[in-house]
Amino acid sequence: KQEVTQIPAALSVPEGENLVLNCSFTDSAIYNLQWFRQDPGKGLTSLLLIQSSQREQTSGRLNASLDKSSGRSTLYIAASQPGDSATYLCAVLGGGADGLTFGKGTHLIIQP
Amino acid sequence: SAVISQKPSRDICQRGTSLTIQCQVDSQVTMMFWYRQQPGQSLTLIATANQGSEATYESGFVIDKFPISRPNLTFSTLTVSNMSPEDSSIYLCSVEDPGGTGKYEQYFGPGTRLTVT
């Protein structure tokens, strides 16, 4: 059964810092990996999708990498802003499961 | 991407009753999913709903408790039956690959926040 772990569970940093969120998964037979953002009481916003054949994807200040063989992904946020405060979820498609398997998320607070 | 709406956005229900949640997407999609997010937890897949076939349920979820309909390629419903306080959660629908890109990207609705008293 696919399992997804996210580290750290929570992170608080001053505005302007660059930061890295980590995600690991147990079964490397995945189709893709998605990073989502969830604001309190809201649904999920898709940030980046990395297909299994790709190593990284970039969108604005966000960069996500994927090392499928080692079962790891990182989300890099450059020049963090208070508006980046949210819970960031990592999810994988595949590894023996229908639908996405989610990690428990990283609760991020950017201090003004 | 896709625009996904859910109704209701929130509800407070009494134990023993049932609630049907609707999910509407603005384009035709083959794969739709229903997830549950319990308080303070991450998302867990309830079932996969494909048009023209029976929904496929994950371990721990059964059709009698969570019946699902998928009458066409843009709409699905999830019913939470005989509710108990343990069913208090956010229920989210998602769609896969609405643009037919082959990337299997999933997009989520805004969720339905259910409180059972």
Side-chain angles (χ1 to χ4, degrees):
Chain A
K1 177 185 174 184
Q2 180 75 271
E3 294 182 0
V4 179
T5 302
Q6 291 188 246
I7 295 174
L11 183 63
S12 180
V13 300
E15 179 178 5
E17 285 201 4
N18 303 324
L19 54 97
V20 175
L21 308 183
N22 297 289
C23 171
S24 62
F25 46 95
T26 55
D27 190 328
S28 62
I30 63 170
Y31 292 115
N32 62 42
L33 183 146
Q34 272 185 270
W35 283 93
F36 294 90
R37 167 186 176 137
Q38 185 174 33
D39 294 282
K42 306 287 187 181
L44 275 66
T45 301
S46 180
L47 298 173
L48 288 164
L49 169 78
I50 309 178
Q51 294 180 273
S52 62
S53 59
Q54 297 177 318
R55 298 283 292 181
E56 67 177 323
Q57 281 288 318
T58 298
S59 176
R61 294 183 293 107
L62 305 179
N63 176 275
S65 68
L66 174 64
D67 185 341
K68 182 182 168 184
S69 60
S70 68
R72 296 179 186 275
S73 176
T74 61
L75 179 66
Y76 176 84
I77 302 176
S80 58
Q81 303 172 357
D84 295 331
S85 298
T87 296
Y88 289 80
L89 295 164
C90 168
V92 297
L93 181 68
D98 290 331
L100 292 170
T101 302
F102 280 84
K104 292 186 176 182
T106 294
H107 181 57
L108 176 64
I109 296 175
I110 307 298
Q111 306 157 10
Chain B
S1 65
V3 177
I4 304 167
S5 60
Q6 286 186 234
K7 291 181 180 179
S9 59
R10 59 177 61 226
D11 207 342
I12 301 173
C13 301
Q14 293 188 342
R15 68 175 66 207
T17 62
S18 299
L19 177 71
T20 295
I21 302 167
Q22 299 179 5
C23 178
Q24 178 79 51
V25 61
D26 68 344
S27 58
Q28 293 185 338
V29 293
T30 301
M31 303 285 282
M32 294 182 77
F33 304 89
W34 288 97
Y35 292 81
R36 180 176 74 180
Q37 187 175 30
Q38 294 178 299
Q41 302 297 314
S42 191
L43 280 77
T44 300
L45 180 66
I46 297 172
T48 302
N50 293 337
Q51 195 269 336
S53 63
E54 295 285 330
T56 304
Y57 289 83
E58 296 299 298
S59 175
F61 298 96
V62 295
I63 187 171
D64 289 346
K65 176 68 175 177
F66 297 102
I68 288 171
S69 78
R70 182 79 200 274
N72 57 52
L73 291 173
T74 63
F75 187 79
S76 179
T77 67
L78 169 75
T79 299
V80 186
S81 302
N82 188 25
M83 289 183 284
S84 67
E86 292 72 33
D87 294 319
S88 297
S89 297
I90 300 174
Y91 293 85
L92 301 102
C93 71
S94 76
V95 302
E96 183 176 85
D97 200 22
T101 64
K103 295 181 179 180
Y104 303 105
E105 187 166 5
Q106 287 201 19
Y107 296 89
F108 282 77
T112 295
R113 182 180 293 272
L114 171 62
T115 302
V116 183
T117 60

